[in-house]
């Protein structure tokens, strides 16, 4: 039997790279995309069929999908929307441009890519769309408003697509990791330095701690390796009836329950305390 084709975004590091490796070993034909040429070259050197795909560019999305469809005679079994970044900073310190950039990658580009792949899935009569969301698509932590909002938006679009694709054989699943070893914090630190005017913020004292955490090597409590996400992705790809949501890490399971059972004020107390401890 022909291997099933999977397109993954953001394979230069972290979860995306782990998914690309693990799914290839599992027997899938993996198209591992990255937004920088150097990463595409490194992925190719590692034996992947690699394409350049920058979620911030419609042309790049279009060209990547065309390339994959050409190599697969029009068949893409699964799309894994993994590529994203976190823009730290208090909501009142976010410029319009910074908020826009967060949504450009995590929401607009991701949905545009999905919409370009769905017609192939409809034509082949099957498909799996797996959106990598976050614990912060379930609850909000302070000083991460842009990222919270982007993952809530991704969850809403995923839930809506699930309804709209109900009578097709195309399944939409959301994977919700808590802390996972990757370059996420290092990349978030870069976004922080790029877009947040720390010196002129009322939160500047808090930001000193943010910089220490994002710049430092110490992992957050309950951090798991990216293979924990891979395990759930196997299920989303291979279950006859995949679940709408797959939680990864203890904090995700915990907050999914706390959000349901705690009154808002009590939940806010917990979230405010946690907000000062980590960055995800
Ligand atoms: N690590 C965690 O604790 C954690 C927790 C919850 C959810 N997540 C989610 O897991 C996913 C993977 O993140 P990660 O932890 O593996 O972090 P990561 O190591 O920073 O990887 C993020 C990937 O997204 C790519 N990316 C960023 N902007 C892009 C763009 N415009 N177009 C295409 N790709 C782009 C990055 O490429 P570059 O190298 O070019 O920047 C990188 O390959 C993300 O959706 C993230 O929100 C992570």
């Amino acid at each position: 039997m022909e291997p099933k084709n999977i397109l993954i975004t953001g394979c230069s590091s972290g979860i995306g790279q782990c998914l690309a490796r693990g799914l290839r070993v599992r027997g899938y034909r993996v198209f591992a995309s990255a937004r920088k040429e150097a990463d595409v070259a490194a992925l190719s050197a590692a034996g992947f069929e690699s394409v350049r795909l920058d979620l911030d560019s419609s042309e790049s999305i279009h060209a990547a999908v065309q390339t994959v469809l050409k190599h697969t005679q029009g068949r893409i079994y699964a799309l894994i929307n993994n590529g994203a970044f976190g823009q730290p900073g208090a909501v009142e310190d976010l410029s319009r441009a910074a908020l826009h950039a967060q949504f450009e990658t995590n929401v607009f580009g991701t949905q545009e890519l999905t919409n370009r792949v769905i017609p192939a899935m409809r034509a082949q009569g099957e498909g799996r769309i797996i959106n990598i969301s976050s614990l912060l698509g379930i609850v909000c932590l302070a000083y991460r408003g842009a990222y919270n909002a982007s993952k809530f938006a991704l969850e809403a679009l995923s839930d809506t697509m699930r309804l709209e694709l109900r009578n097709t054989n195309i399944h939409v699943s959301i994977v919700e990791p808590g802390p996972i070893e990757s370059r996420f914090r290092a990349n978030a630190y870069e976004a922080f330095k790029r877009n947040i005017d720390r010196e002129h913020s009322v939160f500047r004292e808090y930001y000193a701690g943010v910089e220490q955490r994002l710049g430092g090597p110490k992992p957050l409590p309950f951090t798991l390796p990216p293979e924990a996400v891979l395990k759930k992705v196997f299920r989303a790809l291979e279950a006859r009836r995949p679940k709408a949501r797959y939680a990864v890490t203890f904090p995700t399971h915990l907050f999914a329950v706390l959000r349901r059972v705690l009154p808002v004020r009590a939940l806010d107390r917990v979230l405010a305390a946690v907000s000062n401890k980590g960055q995800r």
Side-chain angles (χ1 to χ4, degrees):
M1 220 170 69
E2 288 274 297
K4 288 177 167 164
N5 307 313
I6 300 186
L7 172 60
I8 311 173
T9 59
C11 296
S12 68
S13 61
I15 294 171
Q17 197 167 96
C18 171
L19 295 180
R21 289 217 171 90
L23 291 171
R24 182 169 65 173
V25 169
R26 190 90 162 176
Y28 291 97
R29 183 175 178 194
V30 174
F31 289 84
S33 73
R35 72 169 160 157
K36 296 185 201 117
E37 282 299 354
D39 292 317
V40 173
L43 287 161
S44 300
F48 287 103
E49 295 183 79
S50 185
V51 284
R52 184 159 179 268
L53 196 163
D54 180 351
L55 290 164
D56 296 350
S57 155
S58 293
E59 293 76 45
S60 173
I61 290 170
H62 177 68
V65 172
Q66 287 308 111
T67 303
V68 174
L69 290 175
K70 201 172 94 199
H71 283 86
T72 61
Q73 286 75 47
R75 297 183 70 83
I76 299 180
Y77 175 68
L79 168 66
I80 304 181
N81 285 312
N82 164 79
F85 73 98
Q87 173 62 65
V91 170
E92 69 187 80
D93 287 339
L94 292 172
S95 66
R96 182 180 180 129
L99 195 53
H100 193 102
Q102 181 74 103
F103 271 69
E104 195 67 49
T105 306
N106 295 13
V107 184
F108 305 146
T110 296
Q111 193 59 45
E112 183 178 7
L113 171 62
T114 304
N115 290 354
R116 285 214 174 263
V117 170
I118 288 177
M121 292 179 169
R122 283 192 183 275
Q124 72 206 9
E126 63 174 359
R128 303 272 159 124
I129 297 164
I130 299 175
N131 284 340
I132 308 295
S133 177
S134 170
L135 162 60
L136 298 186
I138 302 176
V139 291
C140 292
L141 291 182
Y143 315 112
R144 297 142 177 97
Y147 183 70
N148 295 333
S150 76
K151 291 299 185 182
F152 270 67
L154 183 68
E155 298 246 348
L157 289 167
S158 308
D159 284 342
T160 308
M161 281 194 293
R162 212 175 50 254
L163 300 177
E164 293 169 355
L165 294 168
R166 200 175 162 77
N167 297 320
T168 70
N169 194 19
I170 303 168
H171 298 275
V172 182
S173 295
I174 302 165
V175 177
E176 296 163 323
I180 299 289
E181 288 159 15
S182 74
R183 285 194 47 76
F184 187 89
R185 279 203 292 175
N187 287 332
Y189 189 31
E190 292 306 313
F192 177 79
K193 287 188 283 190
R194 205 164 48 236
N195 291 325
I196 300 298
D197 181 2
R198 187 191 140 185
E199 291 316 312
H200 296 101
S201 170
V202 294
F203 297 103
R204 58 187 168 275
E205 279 173 28
Y206 169 78
Y207 286 154
V210 169
E211 296 202 60
Q212 262 180 8
R213 277 196 301 276
L214 292 180
K218 200 168 155 235
L220 298 173
F222 306 111
T223 295
L224 291 180
E227 284 74 13
V229 181
L230 177 64
K231 269 204 242 168
K232 298 293 167 91
V233 167
F234 285 158
R235 293 204 211 153
L237 285 171
E238 294 168 10
R240 200 171 57 80
R241 294 178 62 222
K243 293 202 302 187
R245 284 180 167 72
Y246 292 91
V248 188
T249 75
F250 171 71
T252 305
H253 286 283
L254 178 66
F255 277 103
V257 172
L258 291 183
R259 195 191 57 165
R260 283 201 293 271
V261 300
L262 285 184
V264 173
R265 266 180 219 193
L267 183 60
D268 275 1
R269 270 199 296 277
V270 179
L271 292 173
V274 174
S275 293
N276 293 319
K277 289 201 159 48
Q279 170 65 47
R280 194 40 74 221

